[in-house]
Amino acid sequence: MKTFEYDILFFKVKKQKDYGEMRRVLNERGAEGWEVINAEAGDYGYTTFLKRETGTMKAASE
């Protein structure tokens, strides 16, 4: 059975240029194997939830 690790990132977005920074960080994380599984818009920016496979396998019976 595959196992995963998770991370949460928050991005303050006030101006158009902030989206460029958000894109840059997410592309860096993507290169490290992270995948955005959800993004939520709030009053002050975006919260993103990421996951990546750990490479550790567990038996289905565990």
Side-chain angles (χ1 to χ4, degrees), residues 31-47:
E32 296 169 356
W34 292 95
E35 174 184 6
V36 175
I37 55 174
N38 193 17
E40 296 180 8
D43 292 337
Y44 302 104
Y46 290 87
T47 302

Side-chain angles (χ1 to χ4, degrees), residues 7-48:
D7 199 4
I8 301 169
L9 301 175
F10 177 76
F11 297 95
K12 285 186 178 181
V13 177
K14 294 182 179 181
K15 299 178 181 174
Q16 188 66 31
K17 69 177 181 124
D18 295 333
Y19 287 106
E21 177 65 10
M22 182 177 171
R23 186 178 301 109
R24 184 189 67 75
V25 171
L26 291 174
N27 281 329
E28 284 179 2
R29 289 307 195 92
E32 296 169 356
W34 292 95
E35 174 184 6
V36 175
I37 55 174
N38 193 17
E40 296 180 8
D43 292 337
Y44 302 104
Y46 290 87
T47 302
T48 58

Side-chain angles (χ1 to χ4, degrees), residues 1-5 52-59 62:
M1 182 152 93
K2 293 181 182 181
T3 60
F4 299 92
E5 62 181 325
R52 71 175 170 184
E53 195 170 333
T54 62
T56 305
M57 299 293 279
K58 287 191 175 184
E62 288 183 29

